[in-house]
Amino acid sequence: MEIPRARILRRAAAAVAPNGLLLVVDHASVAPWSWQAGQDVRFPTAEEALADLRLDDGWRIERCHALRRTATGPEGQRATVTDNVIAVRRTA
């Protein structure tokens, strides 16, 4: 079952009050020990996730980056994974 991610995030954006901040942090890669490892999984880039929000001119982008970090697996294994961090502020 596919989750309507973009629709859910647009709904969250619609609920943000003026001067409010919407923060989206999501995975942009999969760890080798994940149940999804080896599957053909495609994660959106930070820019694609931001575009999915379909924000108008009443928003200011405060951050839109893919950040790398070291994750530790259940058996102590380590891998570099990527997370998207998007912060947008409603200005109007």
Side-chain angles (χ1 to χ4, degrees):
M1 178 174 101
E2 189 168 322
I3 296 173
R5 181 182 182 285
R7 188 177 81 216
I8 291 167
L9 291 176
R10 283 193 295 272
R11 189 171 178 186
V16 176
N19 203 37
L21 182 73
L22 175 65
L23 177 63
V24 178
V25 179
D26 64 353
H27 296 301
S29 70
V30 64
W33 54 82
S34 168
W35 61 273
Q36 293 178 323
Q39 296 180 26
D40 187 21
V41 177
R42 185 186 177 288
F43 294 91
T45 65
E47 292 78 12
E48 290 169 337
L50 177 63
D52 281 345
L53 290 172
R54 298 180 189 163
L55 301 175
D56 60 25
D57 290 340
W59 292 85
R60 181 177 64 241
I61 301 167
E62 296 197 355
R63 185 172 191 121
C64 181
H65 299 288
L67 303 174
R68 297 169 93 54
R69 65 180 172 86
T70 301
T72 304
E75 296 177 13
Q77 63 274 53
R78 296 170 66 82
T80 300
V81 296
T82 306
D83 295 317
N84 292 327
V85 178
I86 301 164
V88 290
R89 184 169 305 280
R90 182 182 288 271
T91 58

